[in-house]
Each structure stands twice: as structure tokens, then as C-alpha cells.
């Protein structure tokens, strides 16, 4: 066990404080040399680091300081040339230096305390029962020291499966308390040593306070008395370099840009902290889900291998829809048909498998111990992408083509999806009624696809009097003529009022004003009006040229970004997102399709087509850039993987039970729900 003295730029050598780092080997050019005499303590009994870890940083790798100085930091900005970055990988002579896991700060020890502190620390760590374990790295970042007079370039570590790092931390804090020292790590909800901590007042506003020694003492007492062990996994790291001046100060514009981007996209640390306390809540009153499909889902999830991540289950379901869209474009690009019967059957099968995967991904999360806030975000993000794609297959199954009725069928699912998401944002509960779209609506859609495969899509344009001899009621109306008022009326008079009622009740229960929430309808109003103005314009050529498939694929990413941002804001307790840049080209398209109304000449079909293609490319780039940023930020913060199984300690693998009361599933203890609560 080594006691390490770090030099301070403002102090002379004789006045430098003695500080402590936990490590398995003497480290660094500043390490105190142990005298090889009888007074030396016995060699440490801790197990050595694995050979693979040493090999990674062996001197043979010839890691030089110029490699560190060219690390791309802060949105691709390298460090200024006049800033010196000191390496902790190699000495001034180029020799490889041993590395160690660092904690959140150093301790001030008197000279007569060093030997006894070292002995007690070795004893405490030896009694912790921690054996050899592997360390996996997850990210690179800058971390300031306690005095804020230098910054360390560090590699953050993932939480080991056996939680060994936290066990070592608790053993270390036990010794620190016995020497009257502050804890090496302070829980996030309490003041941390040397750090500015946010405190919320009664109105919820944020202020900053500076911790005191009394706070440290109370906090160590809290840690001593509390039976709950705090998780410090996000604070363990390996220092690989340091510099005197903060890198944030060397590039203020870049740092400000990064902070603004993180805050705007709800992935700042202040936002992500809510993911740790997030709990899922849903209400599903569907009788079919509770008494029939639940048994099917419970049986289906058992055939999934335990190595299959829940988010991958969700993604596999979405691949079924993508396969449907590809087949649609190959065999019936005009969305009219008729097509081979097997194609309509494949539409029904793909949609059913998507629904199945969407409902069992949460069960798979509980089976594998992978429940997290990322699960709900990923699940509802895929649902948002699917809105215009699955309905596109329904449009083809009905043989509507690129007609006004076809446009309506392809885009109408966006309305109930948006308002359900809006409702979830305010109530923090997903409500599914006795008759809802994800269950009964999907069964009806699959049934219609099967009927189209058996009878052909022409069945939907036959007069209703051929089936029901009530000419006085139906006249010459066909099935498709009844379809549209039923779908729109169900949304307008049942779904939308229910969403409004739940939101108003939630706002009043929290003594919050109701009127401002209706401003949040702005994104869906812009989306709906722009789509209608563009596609239904007599000057637009998109429907004439049969571009509905291309349009719906583009809108899939636009609408997906719009609603998934709302879900992210709900998870992180951030303000409602009123705007996304992906709506701007949609407004432009609406103007482009109506130029003659503005006294300008109409554009050609070629220009309009290339504008839509460019819009698709723009939507793809913006959407995936944002999605990768958000997913990586959440995964890094929570120490989890997105599409693969994250190893978990045994105690974290317990599943959560759901409470069924009057058809409601209350406060489900998982954030990975698919169609939440169904089948459980």
C-alpha cells in the first residue's frame, strides 16, 4: 500500500501535503520511495492486477505524451498547443508506469499517521474478502482534483459484476472515519468534498452550496450508521494524464457548446440523475391483454435465450416491420395491388411479431436483470418510428394507394401516439383503456390484412349492402367509407378527451396551472398541418407521382424524433420539448407545394422529389446522430449496454412483481416495458 504525494504548483517542496491514493503498486514519478529497511511495513497482500491489464499499458506499447495531447476532446477539439498535458502512462524517461483505480479525492495525513493508517487500511481491505477481479473501461473524461488546481484525464471504469470496487471503497471509508478523515466518496444527494453541490428549494429551483467540515462529519456518520450502501461506480477511474489548467478554461466556447447541447438534449448530468430514481407506471385495462394474450406472452418469452438483450428483442420486432416495408416496395409500390396473397399474410405476420416482441421485451428485461430507464426510451422510440411504417402496410392491404384516403390511413396513427406520449409526460403513467390501439387496434389491423390475403383488397370497396341487407342505413357506402369516420371519431371523441382528462387531473393534483399544457400541442399541430398542406395541395406532385412510401419513411424519423424527445424529457424530468429542427424542412415542403398560392410559380415534380429525398437524408443524419448521443450518454451514466447483456451482481438480478388492482398495474419496478404491464 503506497502513500502518494502529489506536488502542488503553488507550494514549495517542503510544504507539500501528503495525500493518499488506493492502489496495488507504488505509482508515479511523485511516489514516495519506500526505504528497504526493517521499518518498512510488510508487502501488500492484495492480489496483483491481471496480466492483460498490465499488458495494455506496458512500456512496449510506446504510449507517448503526444498521443494524449492529440486526444480529441470536447466535440472534436484538440488541446491548444501551448497547454502541456503530463502523462501518467510513462515517466520522463519513457518507462511504463503502473496504474491504479482512483477515488474521488485525497486525504490529508500527519506524518505520524502514515504508517498506522497504511497498516489499518491493509487490514481492512484484507478483511473485505475481495479477490482478483477484472476491470472494464467505459469512457474518457476530465476530472478536477479536490483543490481544483489541476485536471486529470481519466478512463472511467464499469461496475464489476461482484461490486468489488464498492466493497474496497467501504473498507477504505471505515479506516478514514477512524482517523477523523472525510469519506473518500460522498453520496450524490449529499455535499461532496471539494465539490459544489446543487440544492433545491421548496419551489424546485436550483442553487449551489459549498460543503463544510461539519457536513463531512455528519456525512461520515450517515455512512457509518446507514445500512444502505451507496453506489460510487460512476466515480471510479484510472488517471492517465494531468494538466494544471482546466481544459474547460482553455476552450470556453467549446465547453459552453457542449454543456448547452447536453442540456438541450436532456442528457446533462443534472438530467440523467433522475434515471437512477425512475420507476415505471402503467395502467392497462384491456380484457384481451389480461385474460388471453398474457398467457401467450408469458409462454413466448421463455423461448428467448437469456443472452438476448431486451432492447435487441424490441429491435428484432422492428426488423419485422422493416421487412414488410421492403416487400411492399418490391411487390406493390403503388399501394393498390392486388398483390400475391402471401404478401398480405406476411404483413399480418410481421405486425403480429412486432407486437409480440414489443410486449415480451419487458419480461425479457426482468428475466435477465436488465431493467432500466433506457428500456422505456428505446421501446417507445421504436413505437414512434413504427407509426407511419406499419400503417403504410395497412394502406397497401386496403388497396388505397397514394390517395387522400391512403394518406389519412398512413398518417392517422401519429395523432393518438403523440397525445398518449403527451399524457405520459404529465402523468408519468401510460394509460391503456379497455379498447386500445396497441391491443385491440392491432388485432383488427392484422385481421384486415389476413382478409385482404384471402379475398383480395377489393373486398373493402364492396358495398356494405352485399354483406348486410340494410340499404336504408348504409346506402351505397362501402366498408372503406365507414372505416375513416370510425377511426377519426374514435380518436377525436374517445382517445383525445381521455388524455386531456388525465393530464388536467394530474396538473390539479400537483397545484399546477392547466392552460400552459395546451401550448405543448404546437409540435403535432405543425406536423399535421404541414403534412396536410403539402400532400393535399393541388400543386404538389407527390401523390400524383406515387411518393407516399418515400414520404412516410421520412416522416417516420421526423415523428420518431419528436415523440421520443418527449419520452426522454419525461424520464429525466426536463421541460417539454416544443420544437425539433426536423420540422423545419416539413414546413418548407408545405410552402414548396403551395408556391402558386403565394404568387410564385410551382416547382416541377423533379425538384419536389429531390427536395423530399434530401429531407430524408437530413432526417436520417439528424435522427441517428441524436439517438447515438442519447443512448451513449445514458449507457455511460448508468454503466449499462444497449443491445447486449450487461453483467449484474446477483443481488441486482431480482425481478419486480406487478400489482394488479382493478385492471391497473401500479408502479411497476422496471423501466423496460414494451407495451407496459401487458400479460403480467
Amino acid at each position: 500500500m503506497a502513500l502518494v504525494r502529489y506536488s502542488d504548483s503553488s507550494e514549495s517542496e517542503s510544504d507539500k501535503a501528503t495525500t493518499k491514493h488506493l492502489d496495488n503498486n507504488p505509482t508515479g514519478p511523485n511516489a514516495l520511495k519506500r526505504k528497504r529497511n526493517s521499518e518498512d511495513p510488510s508487502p501488500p497482500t492484495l492480489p496483483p492486477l491481471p496480466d492483460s491489464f498490465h499488458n495494455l499499458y506496458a512500456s512496449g506499447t510506446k504510449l507517448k505524451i503526444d498521443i494524449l495531447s492529440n486526444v480529441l476532446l470536447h466535440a472534436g477539439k484538440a488541446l491548444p498547443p501551448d497547454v502541456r498535458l503530463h502523462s501518467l502512462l510513462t515517466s520522463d524517461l519513457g518507462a511504463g508506469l503502473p496504474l491504479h483505480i482512483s477515488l474521488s479525492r485525497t486525504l490529508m495525513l500527519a506524518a505520524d499517521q502514515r504508517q498506522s493508517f497504511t497498516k489499518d487500511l491493509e487490514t481492512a481491505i484484507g478483511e473485505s474478502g475481495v479477490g482478483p477481479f477484472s476491470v472494464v473501461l467505459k469512457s474518457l473524461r476530465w476530472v478536477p482534483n479536490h483543490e481544483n488546481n489541476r485536471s486529470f484525464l481519466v478512463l472511467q471504469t464499469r461496475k464489476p459484476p461482484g461490486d468489488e470496487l464498492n466493497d474496497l471503497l467501504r473498507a477504505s471509508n471505515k479506516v478514514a472515519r477512524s482517523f477523523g478523515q472525510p469519506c473518500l466518496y460522498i453520496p450524490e444527494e449529499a455535499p461532496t468534498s471539494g465539490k459544489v453541490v446543487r440544492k433545491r428549494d421548496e419551489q424546485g429551483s436550483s442553487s449551489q452550496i459549498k460543503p463544510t467540515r461539519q457536513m463531512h462529519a455528519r456525512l461520515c456518520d450517515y455512512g457509518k450508521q446507514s445500512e444502505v450502501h451507496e453506489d460510487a461506480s460512476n466515480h471510479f477511474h484510472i488517471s492517465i494524464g494531468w494538466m494544471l489548467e482546466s481544459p474547460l478554461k482553455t476552450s470556453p466556447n467549446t465547453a459552453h457548446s457542449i454543456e448547452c447541447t447536453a442540456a438541450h438534449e436532456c442528457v446533462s448530468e443534472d438530467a440523467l440523475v433522475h434515471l437512477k430514481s425512475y420507476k415505471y407506471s402503467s395502467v392497462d385495462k384491456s380484457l384481451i391483454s389480461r385474460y388471453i394474450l398474457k398467457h401467450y406472452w408469458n409462454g413466448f418469452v421463455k423461448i428467448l435465450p437469456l443472452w438476448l438483450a431486451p432492447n435487441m428483442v424490441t429491435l428484432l420486432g422492428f426488423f419485422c416491420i422493416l421487412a414488410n416495408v421492403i416487400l411492399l416496395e418490391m411487390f406493390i409500390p403503388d399501394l393498390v395491388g392486388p398483390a400475391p396473397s402471401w404478401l398480405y399474410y406476411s404483413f399480418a405476420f410481421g405486425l403480429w411479431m412486432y407486437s409480440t416482441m414489443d410486449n415480451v421485451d419487458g419480461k425479457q428485461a426482468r428475466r435477465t436483470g436488465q431493467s432500466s430507464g433506457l428500456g422505456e426510451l428505446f421501446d417507445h422510440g421504436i413505437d414512434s418510428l413504427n407509426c407511419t411504417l406499419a400503417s403504410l402496410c395497412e394502406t397497401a392491404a386496403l388497396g388505397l394507394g397514394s390517395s387522400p384516403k391512403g394518406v389519412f390511413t398512413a398518417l392517422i396513427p401519429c395523432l393518438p401516439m403523440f397525445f398518449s406520449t403527451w399524457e405520459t409526460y404529465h402523468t408519468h403513467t401510460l394509460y391503456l383503456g379497455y379498447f386500445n390501439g396497441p391491443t385491440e387496434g392491432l388485432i383488427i389491423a392484422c385481421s384486415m390484412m389476413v382478409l385482404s390475403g384471402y379475398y383480395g383488397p377489393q373486398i373493402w370497396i364492396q358495398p356494405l349492402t352485399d354483406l348486410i341487407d340494410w340499404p336504408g342505413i348504409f346506402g351505397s357506402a362501402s366498408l372503406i367509407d365507414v372505416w375513416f369516420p370510425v377511426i377519426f371519431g374514435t380518436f377525436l371523441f374517445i382517445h383525445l378527451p381521455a388524455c386531456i382528462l388525465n393530464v388536467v387531473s394530474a396538473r390539479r393534483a400537483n397545484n399546477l396551472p392547466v392552460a400552459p399544457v395546451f401550448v405543448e400541442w404546437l409540435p403535432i399541430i405543425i406536423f399535421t398541418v404541414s403534412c396536410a398542406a403539402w400532400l393535399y395541395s393541388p400543386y404538389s406532385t407527390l401523390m400524383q407521382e406515387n411518393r407516399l412510401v418515400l414520404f412516410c419513411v421520412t416522416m417516420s424519423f421526423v415523428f420518431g424524433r419528436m415523440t421520443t424527445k418527449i419520452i426522454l424529457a419525461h424520464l429525466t424530468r426536463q421541460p417539454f420539448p416544443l420544437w425539433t429542427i426536423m420540422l423545419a424542412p416539413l414546413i418548407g415542403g408545405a410552402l414548396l407545394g403551395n408556391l402558386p398560392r403565394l404568387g410564385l410559380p410551382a416547382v416541377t415534380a423533379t425538384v419536389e422529389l429531390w427536395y423530399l429525398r434530401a429531407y430524408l437524408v437530413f432526417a436520417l443524419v439528424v435522427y441517428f446522430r441524436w439517438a447515438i448521443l442519447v443512448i451513449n450518454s445514458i449507457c455511460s451514466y448508468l454503466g449499462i449496454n444497449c443491445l447486449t447483456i450487461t453483467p449484474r451482481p446477483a443481488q441486482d438480478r431480482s425481478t419486480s412483481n406487478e400489482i394488479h388492482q382493478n385492471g391497473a398495474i401500479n408502479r411497476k419496478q422496471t423501466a423496460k416495458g414494451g407495451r407496459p404491464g401487458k400479460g403480467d
Side-chain angles (χ1 to χ4, degrees):
M1 188 63 59
L3 297 180
V4 182
R5 174 182 288 128
Y6 286 104
S7 61
D8 190 290
S9 58
S10 63
E11 295 178 335
S12 64
E13 185 66 28
S14 60
D15 295 332
K16 292 171 184 175
T18 301
T19 59
K20 173 208 167 275
H21 263 247
L22 284 178
D23 65 347
N24 296 334
N25 307 281
T27 67
N30 298 317
L32 293 177
K33 308 289 186 179
R34 289 194 176 185
K35 297 181 180 180
R36 301 185 180 276
N37 53 32
S38 58
E39 297 181 357
D40 283 347
S42 59
T45 58
L46 294 178
L49 290 171
D51 292 338
S52 59
F53 187 81
H54 286 297
N55 293 339
L56 179 63
Y57 297 104
S59 58
T61 60
K62 300 184 183 300
L63 291 173
K64 301 294 184 180
I65 190 62
D66 57 333
I67 296 179
L68 292 177
S69 63
N70 285 290
V71 173
L72 296 181
L73 303 171
H74 305 302
K77 297 291 186 179
L79 292 175
D82 58 337
V83 175
R84 183 183 179 188
L85 178 63
H86 304 268
S87 174
L88 294 177
L89 299 178
T90 59
S91 67
D92 294 338
L93 299 178
L97 299 175
L99 302 176
H100 61 277
I101 301 291
S102 301
L103 298 176
S104 62
R105 63 158 297 167
T106 57
L107 300 180
M108 306 297 295
L109 294 171
D112 58 352
Q113 292 180 314
R114 299 172 192 168
Q115 186 170 347
S116 57
F117 182 90
T118 302
K119 183 178 179 180
D120 291 352
L121 187 58
E122 290 177 352
T123 301
I125 292 178
E127 294 175 349
S128 67
V130 176
F133 61 93
S134 299
V135 175
V136 179
L137 307 177
K138 68 174 182 178
S139 63
L140 182 71
R141 63 180 298 185
W142 284 102
V143 175
N145 67 344
H146 171 55
E147 293 81 9
N148 286 323
N149 56 16
R150 71 181 66 201
S151 296
F152 288 87
L153 182 62
V154 305
L155 294 165
Q156 285 191 291
T157 62
R158 291 192 184 277
K159 183 177 182 178
D163 202 21
E164 290 88 351
L165 289 175
N166 277 311
D167 289 340
L168 293 175
L169 174 62
R170 286 188 281 271
S172 303
N173 279 340
K174 180 179 178 181
V175 178
R177 285 193 295 267
S178 67
F179 278 77
Q181 296 290 331
C183 298
L184 294 176
Y185 171 70
I186 305 300
E188 291 185 2
E189 64 270 15
T192 57
S193 74
K195 296 181 181 179
V196 174
V197 184
R198 294 191 178 275
K199 178 182 180 182
R200 296 193 177 275
D201 57 24
E202 296 178 354
Q203 287 73 33
S205 60
S206 177
S207 59
Q208 295 181 337
I209 58 174
K210 187 71 176 179
T212 65
R213 292 184 180 273
Q214 290 76 12
M215 291 179 181
H216 288 308
R218 290 197 301 270
L219 204 49
C220 283
D221 289 339
Y222 162 81
K224 184 176 181 179
Q225 299 169 4
S226 176
E227 296 180 359
V228 179
H229 293 160
E230 298 295 335
D231 187 356
S233 299
N234 288 329
H235 295 263
F236 294 116
H237 58 266
I238 299 173
S239 299
I240 60 175
W242 65 275
M243 59 190 299
L244 290 177
E245 187 174 4
S246 170
L248 298 180
K249 295 179 181 179
T250 60
S251 52
N253 294 333
T254 304
H256 176 72
S257 175
I258 291 175
E259 292 174 358
C260 289
T261 300
H264 178 68
E265 301 299 349
C266 299
V267 292
S268 65
E269 189 165 346
D270 287 344
L272 294 179
V273 70
H274 294 284
L275 293 175
K276 292 188 174 182
S277 59
Y278 169 74
K279 292 182 180 180
Y280 193 79
S281 177
S282 67
V283 173
D284 186 358
K285 297 183 178 181
S286 169
L287 300 179
I288 295 179
S289 295
R290 292 167 57 192
Y291 297 112
I292 301 176
L293 291 180
K294 135 180 167 175
H295 304 291
Y296 161 68
W297 293 324
N298 287 338
F300 187 91
V301 73
K302 294 178 181 178
I303 70 175
L304 299 179
L306 290 175
W307 51 261
L308 187 63
N311 288 334
M312 181 58 73
V313 174
T314 310
L315 197 59
L316 289 175
F318 184 60
F319 287 161
C320 294
I321 298 297
L322 293 181
N324 283 347
V325 174
I326 293 173
L327 291 174
L328 179 151
E329 183 65 17
M330 292 173 59
F331 290 94
I332 42 174
D334 61 354
L335 305 178
V336 177
S341 295
W342 65 265
L343 185 61
Y344 299 111
Y345 294 143
S346 73
F347 288 169
F349 176 77
L351 184 58
W352 182 257
M353 288 308 300
Y354 166 79
S355 173
T356 299
M357 295 297 190
D358 194 34
N359 281 283
V360 303
D361 53 6
K363 299 177 184 297
Q364 181 73 352
R366 294 187 287 280
R367 289 178 74 214
T368 56
Q370 301 294 298
S371 298
S372 72
L374 178 63
E376 184 186 356
L377 181 68
F378 196 89
D379 182 277
H380 290 280
I382 293 295
D383 288 342
S384 299
L385 290 175
N386 180 57
C387 273
T388 61
L389 300 182
S391 58
L392 197 60
C393 296
E394 184 72 13
T395 301
L398 296 176
L400 297 175
S402 296
S403 64
K405 292 181 178 180
V407 171
F408 175 88
T409 302
L411 296 178
I412 188 62
C414 295
L415 291 177
M417 181 67 185
F418 176 88
F419 284 102
S420 290
T421 307
W422 171 72
E423 175 189 39
T424 302
Y425 173 84
H426 287 286
T427 64
H428 302 297
T429 299
L430 177 61
Y431 291 94
L432 298 174
Y434 291 104
F435 189 95
N436 60 74
T439 302
E440 288 77 11
L442 185 135
I443 292 175
I444 292 175
C446 288
S447 300
M448 296 177 73
M449 292 173 178
V450 170
L451 291 174
S452 293
Y454 189 81
Y455 294 104
Q458 63 273 9
I459 186 180
W460 307 110
I461 60 175
Q462 292 182 0
L464 280 172
T465 52
D466 292 350
L467 301 175
I468 305 175
D469 190 17
W470 290 350
I473 297 178
F474 298 109
S476 61
S478 64
L479 287 171
I480 205 66
D481 293 328
V482 176
W483 167 259
F484 297 103
V486 168
I487 292 299
F488 187 70
T490 301
F491 161 74
L492 190 61
F493 298 110
I494 299 178
H495 183 84
L496 181 58
C499 291
I500 295 175
L501 179 62
N502 288 330
V503 170
V504 170
S505 298
R507 298 284 291 185
R508 288 177 175 172
N510 293 307
N511 295 320
L512 296 173
V514 173
V517 302
F518 296 104
V519 178
E520 297 164 354
W521 292 11
L522 180 64
I524 193 62
I525 292 175
I526 294 176
F527 179 84
T528 304
V529 171
S530 297
C531 287
W534 192 356
L535 293 177
Y536 289 135
S537 171
Y539 307 104
S540 173
T541 61
L542 292 183
M543 287 199 294
Q544 300 172 17
E545 298 292 327
N546 192 35
R547 305 299 179 187
L548 184 57
V549 174
L550 178 61
F551 185 86
C552 285
V553 171
T554 305
M555 292 305 105
S556 172
F557 294 103
V558 176
F559 183 76
R561 168 77 181 271
M562 185 170 67
T563 53
T564 309
K565 286 185 70 173
I566 301 174
I567 288 294
L568 180 60
H570 147 65
L571 293 173
T572 56
R573 300 297 196 268
Q574 300 301 300
F576 190 93
L578 294 174
W579 174 256
T580 169
I581 190 61
M582 294 174 73
L583 288 174
L586 182 58
I587 298 174
L591 294 174
L592 190 70
N594 290 275
L595 288 179
R597 300 182 189 275
L598 303 176
L600 300 173
V603 297
T604 64
T606 302
V607 171
E608 192 171 17
L609 173 61
W610 278 104
Y611 181 89
L612 182 57
R613 287 172 175 171
Y615 189 7
L616 173 60
V617 173
F618 172 78
L620 281 168
V621 172
V622 173
Y623 181 89
F624 281 106
R625 175 188 173 276
W626 172 79
I628 292 172
L629 167 67
V630 171
I631 291 174
N632 286 344
S633 298
I634 294 177
C635 287
S636 176
Y637 186 80
L638 296 179
I640 60 176
N641 302 328
C642 179
L643 298 177
T644 58
I645 294 293
T646 305
R648 295 287 188 184
Q651 62 268 26
D652 291 343
R653 294 176 184 168
S654 60
T655 59
S656 55
N657 295 325
E658 298 171 9
I659 304 174
H660 293 263
Q661 295 178 351
N662 301 321
I665 302 172
N666 299 319
R667 306 303 301 173
K668 186 167 62 176
Q669 302 298 316
T670 174
K672 185 74 189 74
R675 289 299 172 196
K678 286 188 176 181
D680 290 351

